[in-house]
Amino acid sequence: MSADILNIKQAAAPEGLRKWEREFTQGVKADATTFNRSGIPIKPLYTQRDWTGERQDEALGYPGQYPYTRGIYATMYRGRSWSQRQLIGLGVPEDYNQRVKEILDLGASALSLIPCNSVFRGYDADEVPHELLGTCGTVINHVKDMDTALDGVPIGDLSTAMNDPSPFTLLAFELAVARRRGIPWTRITGTSNQSDCISHFVANHMFFRLALQGARRVVIDHIKFCNAYVPNWNPLSIVGQHMQQAGATPAEAMAFTLASGIQYAEDCIAAGMDPDQFLPRFTFFFDISVSLFEEVAKFRAGRRIWARLCRERFGAKDPRSWRFKFHGQTSGVDLTRQQPLNNIARVTTQAMAGILGGLQSLHTDGYDEVFSTPTAEAARIAVATQNILREEAHLTDVIDPLGGSYYIESLTDDMEAKINKIIAMIDEVGGMYNAVEKGMVQQMIGDSALAFQKQVDSGSQTVVGVNAYQTEEDPGTYPSLEYPEPARMQGYLQRLAQFKRERSNADVDAALTALARSTEGRNANVFEHVVKAAEAGATHGEICGTLRKELGFGHPLTMV
């Protein structure tokens, strides 16, 4: 073992520490140097030599205080638990509505809508092969569909997350539903979960509907519109999850996410917006891997870096602008088809990392997501996992319970240094748009993904059930969600045709024409016209198709 790793062979080391070093070296014959997923060397023991606490006030502060390392609210979970936000999406709007009501009865406190892959790709159900409709999300094509999906759901009192990329038709449909129900838009709360077009360009290609610079225009208009008319809505969720799922290390994912945040903030400022108006509504969305301590340190470092960026780089003066609010989703790429019940343990560990890291909202994967959209039983276990961690394990009793640990504080500092180094590289090439258009980010993610896979293939990284502790079993014996019945989907397509026949097509044509014209110049707000088109009865595919003609089709850049 190297002296750098143990770091205790200084003459001034206490006798107890030197004795431990001798006994450890004798007891561990092989090289015990390990590295976390971000490539940071991990020692077998941390002491006051690694973190003295001298910079405690500057580096940590207290919960709810700059730089927010220990949490963005003074009360954290003692005051309010995280939002239990289960991703739901299957079948037709009626199916979604039924599952939503079941999940709310089980304890979920917020909603998250996953649309069908046809919706993600920007098409109506009658524009794509019917066989895949509703298999991985809900078919939502127009305002009436949204009304059905949210039937009986108090959208003025419940946070809703719309997993919907630019041009954000699902929020437009929800706003149209709210107006029909007489609910003021000021009461609508939630998040445009997939508004980060940069992450789609890099790592989530099915979501990438519009050309990058066109999507860039729409997202800024979306932020401006929501700040003005839907003030309790979070119009921007900057997504690190996609990049970490694609292979980025935790440190890289945090760095790319913060670099994207810098880019969006600078675009908003260039569009004439005040940082203290838009920054409080920026949110973040992260993957939580099974590397527990690394994830905790990632989130603590991210909070500290973002606070400093907002105050020092953007000049924001309102403390609400410095808060790093984030949603966490347990990592699907850590789950395995082999011995899938082991995924419950993985999801529990991931959820603990997110909770100990101070998240504001959490989705826990169903153990069977490796096979299909979660079954009702797997979704119930996923929700119960959160309830157990909160109310049986008492993870919420102490704020930032790992704070002050020699290991966690040292690791937080190391992660911060690594993240800042990558942000500086991106700044050097002119920001995140330049970095992704050159393929720089994609190349880094690809390299990291390959390196991790080589570790798995060589056995140096254990994956239980995959390269170690294998058993003979047939994954086909586990239940998976059945595809929607063809007759049920045919019934939906008939209702879609009826909707298109019975609406005022003159109003729809006028609204789509106005939407197309809004892209000319910078005076009109494109998202305002998306909302108007939705209210007039335009469908999702018609709105996306109109903007594709004007702003360009989304073609992501891949690197090999």
Side-chain angles (χ1 to χ4, degrees):
M1 179 176 293
S2 71
D4 287 341
I5 296 300
L6 282 174
N7 194 29
I8 60 173
K9 290 189 175 178
Q10 297 92 340
E15 172 52 28
L17 193 55
R18 284 185 274 131
K19 180 174 183 294
W20 169 81
E21 189 268 345
R22 288 193 299 272
E23 292 176 353
F24 181 86
T25 304
Q26 292 168 1
V28 179
K29 301 301 182 185
D31 185 354
T33 304
T34 62
F35 295 85
N36 66 15
R37 292 186 178 190
S38 297
I40 293 172
I42 303 299
K43 302 176 185 180
L45 180 71
Y46 287 76
T47 71
Q48 66 271 27
R49 289 171 173 268
D50 300 292
W51 188 77
T52 64
E54 289 177 355
R55 294 174 51 248
Q56 178 169 328
D57 288 345
E58 175 192 350
L60 303 185
Y62 291 91
Q65 296 178 24
Y66 188 88
Y68 301 101
T69 307
R70 308 202 67 184
I72 63 171
Y73 299 119
T75 57
M76 289 301 289
Y77 305 139
R78 281 293 189 106
R80 180 183 177 184
S81 178
W82 63 87
S83 298
Q84 292 181 242
R85 192 183 296 277
Q86 289 305 110
L87 302 175
I88 305 171
L90 75 167
V92 297
E94 290 84 355
D95 299 323
Y96 176 83
N97 184 255
Q98 179 182 346
R99 178 66 71 85
V100 160
K101 291 175 178 173
E102 292 170 358
I103 292 293
L104 291 177
D105 287 342
L106 290 170
S109 55
L111 299 183
S112 192
L113 192 157
I114 299 294
C116 171
N117 67 76
S118 61
V119 178
F120 275 131
R121 288 183 286 128
Y123 298 105
D124 284 342
D126 57 5
E127 298 179 279
V128 302
H130 303 164
E131 290 77 10
L132 290 178
L133 289 173
T135 58
C136 59
T138 306
V139 180
I140 301 278
N141 283 169
H142 50 75
V143 62
K144 195 172 178 181
D145 281 349
M146 185 62 80
D147 197 21
T148 301
L150 299 177
D151 181 44
V153 176
I155 58 174
D157 304 315
L158 194 72
S159 174
T160 56
M162 294 294 154
N163 291 277
D164 184 33
S166 176
F168 317 110
T169 54
L170 295 187
L171 175 60
F173 294 148
E174 183 178 356
L175 294 177
V177 169
R179 196 189 294 280
R180 291 181 179 190
R181 296 182 185 179
I183 300 170
W185 288 355
T186 52
R187 284 181 53 197
I188 301 299
T189 62
T191 303
S192 293
N193 259 8
Q194 298 296 343
S195 43
D196 179 5
C197 57
I198 296 174
S199 74
H200 302 154
F201 181 74
V202 171
N204 200 339
H205 301 162
M206 187 174 73
F207 290 26
F208 192 59
R209 297 169 177 160
L210 304 177
L212 188 60
Q213 293 303 323
R216 182 181 187 175
R217 159 76 187 278
V218 177
V219 73
I220 300 304
D221 282 0
H222 179 63
I223 294 169
K224 186 179 286 188
F225 179 91
C226 291
N227 282 176
Y229 301 107
V230 199
N232 293 310
W233 187 265
N234 301 314
L236 181 64
S237 173
I238 307 162
V239 185
Q241 190 229 17
H242 298 151
M243 302 194 198
Q244 192 162 326
Q245 290 271 296
T249 67
E252 288 173 339
M254 179 59 73
F256 297 149
T257 309
L258 294 177
S260 296
I262 293 169
Q263 182 74 75
Y264 291 122
E266 290 180 344
D267 280 3
C268 286
I269 293 169
M273 288 184 262
D274 178 353
D276 282 323
Q277 180 188 18
F278 65 80
L279 285 174
R281 286 291 160 194
F282 274 22
T283 62
F284 298 84
F285 176 9
F286 289 101
D287 196 57
I288 312 171
S289 78
V290 76
S291 182
L292 188 149
F293 297 112
E294 183 177 5
E295 292 291 341
V296 172
K298 178 183 83 173
F299 294 131
R300 297 175 91 248
R303 267 196 299 274
R304 190 156 71 203
I305 295 170
W306 184 247
R308 288 173 175 159
L309 283 169
C310 291
R311 190 169 82 167
E312 297 169 13
R313 181 161 175 167
F314 306 133
K317 296 179 175 56
D318 186 341
R320 293 177 305 164
S321 303
W322 308 335
R323 292 174 180 164
F324 183 73
K325 297 182 295 185
F326 70 94
H327 169 77
Q329 179 169 342
T330 56
S331 180
V333 296
D334 280 346
L335 307 187
T336 66
R337 291 174 65 86
Q338 297 87 344
Q339 304 173 32
L341 290 175
N342 292 341
N343 294 333
I344 296 174
R346 294 188 177 100
V347 168
T348 303
T349 305
Q350 295 163 340
M352 288 175 62
I355 294 165
L356 297 174
L359 50 70
Q360 279 63 60
S361 172
L362 173 63
H363 165 91
T364 37
D365 289 348
Y367 74 88
D368 60 359
E369 290 190 26
V370 287
F371 301 119
S372 70
T373 295
T375 58
E377 183 201 26
R380 179 183 58 76
I381 294 171
V383 173
T385 299
Q386 298 190 37
N387 295 336
I388 291 167
L389 293 175
R390 184 183 57 244
E391 297 172 32
E392 293 187 27
H394 294 277
L395 260 57
T396 58
D397 286 356
V398 175
I399 301 170
D400 188 31
L402 299 181
S405 152
Y406 299 132
Y407 175 34
I408 285 296
E409 297 302 350
S410 175
L411 186 57
T412 300
D413 289 346
D414 287 345
M415 291 290 280
E416 180 181 14
K418 193 131 191 159
I419 293 163
N420 277 329
K421 183 178 180 182
I422 298 170
I423 292 174
M425 290 169 57
I426 293 169
D427 277 344
E428 199 168 309
V429 298
M432 200 58 175
Y433 281 113
N434 282 347
V436 301
E437 288 178 327
K438 292 176 186 295
M440 170 182 156
V441 171
Q442 294 91 323
Q443 189 65 59
M444 291 174 70
I445 291 173
D447 290 345
S448 295
L450 181 60
F452 185 78
Q453 188 59 47
K454 285 182 176 178
Q455 291 176 18
V456 173
D457 293 345
S458 68
S460 61
Q461 171 62 59
T462 296
V463 182
V464 174
V466 175
N467 63 0
Y469 310 106
Q470 293 110 322
T471 58
E472 292 292 331
E473 66 173 6
D474 178 8
T477 60
Y478 291 92
S480 61
L481 202 66
E482 297 292 332
Y483 279 16
E485 292 181 9
R488 191 166 178 76
M489 200 51 70
Q490 286 300 321
Y492 172 83
L493 290 168
Q494 291 169 8
R495 293 196 299 279
L496 175 60
Q498 182 180 5
F499 175 84
K500 289 185 175 181
R501 282 195 308 271
E502 294 179 352
R503 66 184 178 178
S504 169
N505 283 306
D507 288 350
V508 170
D509 290 344
L512 292 176
T513 299
L515 174 62
R517 287 177 179 166
S518 72
T519 63
E520 301 168 359
R522 291 284 177 176
N523 293 328
N525 186 300
V526 174
F527 184 67
E528 177 181 353
H529 287 275
V530 171
V531 175
K532 289 180 175 177
E535 290 185 301
T539 65
H540 169 73
E542 292 166 339
I543 292 170
C544 291
T546 298
L547 289 178
R548 277 172 165 160
K549 286 180 185 174
E550 303 300 326
L551 299 174
F553 198 98
H555 295 289
L557 176 64
T558 57
M559 302 294 290
V560 178

